Amino acid sequence: MNFEYFSLTDTGMLRDNNEDSVALDVDNHIAILADGMGGYNAGEVASAMATTFVRSELGRWMAEGGAQASSREIKRAMEICIDNANRSIFNAANSQPQYAGMGTTLVMGVFQEARTLIGHVGDSRCYRLREGAFVQLTRDHSLLQEQLDAGLITPEQAQFATHKNLVTRALGVEDTVLLEVNEFRVEEGDLFVLCSDGLSDMINDQRIAALLVTAGTLEEKAHALIDAANDSGGRDNISVILAAARSKPVRKGLLSRMLGQ
């Protein structure tokens, strides 16, 4: 299985600066997206620290043998990288007054042949489009999600909740953080969508799926998503990473032998 990637981030219609950060390591099939929070400029510092650290550390680990590693080993490497990134952000926030209170949510993926491992902290999400079926693979670490799980509010009420952005887990807020990691089977044609809540708060899942199906290339799909979020108000920064699973091309000589020529 081959993977094709594309990432895009946008400030949105109302913000002056972009506190989102995206990073790709195409050679090692790693995608990271972070949505920062905090005081003036601190959110973008936290998100950039997270994506840069994870891309560098996990990329080096994957390059040194991660391709042959088990799912358990990759999961552990992801957890260690997030733990180290969290401590770096936490220490910076507590040692430099201008960064006090900063933190970031994060979603990341490691894509390998017939499997992908998706990790997340907070309410940055990962979706998958497979043969027209669009599903959310991550579950938000947020107060709103806890209320939904407890049956205190309905999904319809959640659409209009005023506390959508209150997360229960984020990097840099405490000295430790738990990365939730899940493994998923990959099939040819799968399209994985990593995004910040600047997308998912502006347009619903049905609209996201429709745009993914109708738009052309990954670049066109990403631009269509961000344009739709901005057309709906663009109240926050908007970031998207797309990862598409493609079948490996068959070499001409091998194809001839397969056909008995």
Side-chain angles (χ1 to χ4, degrees), residues 116-128:
T116 181
L117 280 82
I118 302 295
H120 79 292
V121 176
D123 60 0
S124 291
R125 294 179 177 179
C126 179
Y127 295 90
R128 183 191 64 211

Side-chain angles (χ1 to χ4, degrees), residues 14-129:
L14 302 182
R15 300 293 181 92
D16 294 326
N17 63 321
N18 193 342
E19 295 188 330
D20 288 359
S21 178
V22 295
L24 288 172
D25 182 340
V26 174
D27 291 338
N28 294 300
H29 299 285
I30 301 168
I32 315 116
L33 183 152
D35 181 355
M37 54 193 182
Y40 180 72
N41 288 340
E44 63 191 61
V45 172
S47 63
M49 287 179 67
T51 56
T52 301
F53 189 97
V54 174
R55 183 187 185 279
S56 173
E57 295 301 309
L58 187 59
R60 180 166 60 246
W61 186 87
M62 292 294 296
E64 292 174 352
Q68 289 75 44
S70 67
S71 295
R72 183 176 181 179
E73 291 169 330
I74 295 174
K75 177 182 177 181
R76 184 57 184 149
M78 293 167 69
E79 291 171 340
I80 292 172
C81 286
I82 290 299
D83 182 61
N84 290 336
N86 178 72
R87 290 183 183 276
S88 295
I89 298 169
F90 179 80
N91 289 338
N94 285 274
S95 62
Q96 303 180 54
Q98 69 272 30
Y99 298 150
M102 74 175 178
T104 184
T105 67
L106 179 141
V107 61
M108 61 186 296
V110 178
F111 301 90
Q112 285 195 313
E113 289 291 337
R115 68 181 177 186
T116 181
L117 280 82
I118 302 295
H120 79 292
V121 176
D123 60 0
S124 291
R125 294 179 177 179
C126 179
Y127 295 90
R128 183 191 64 211
L129 178 67

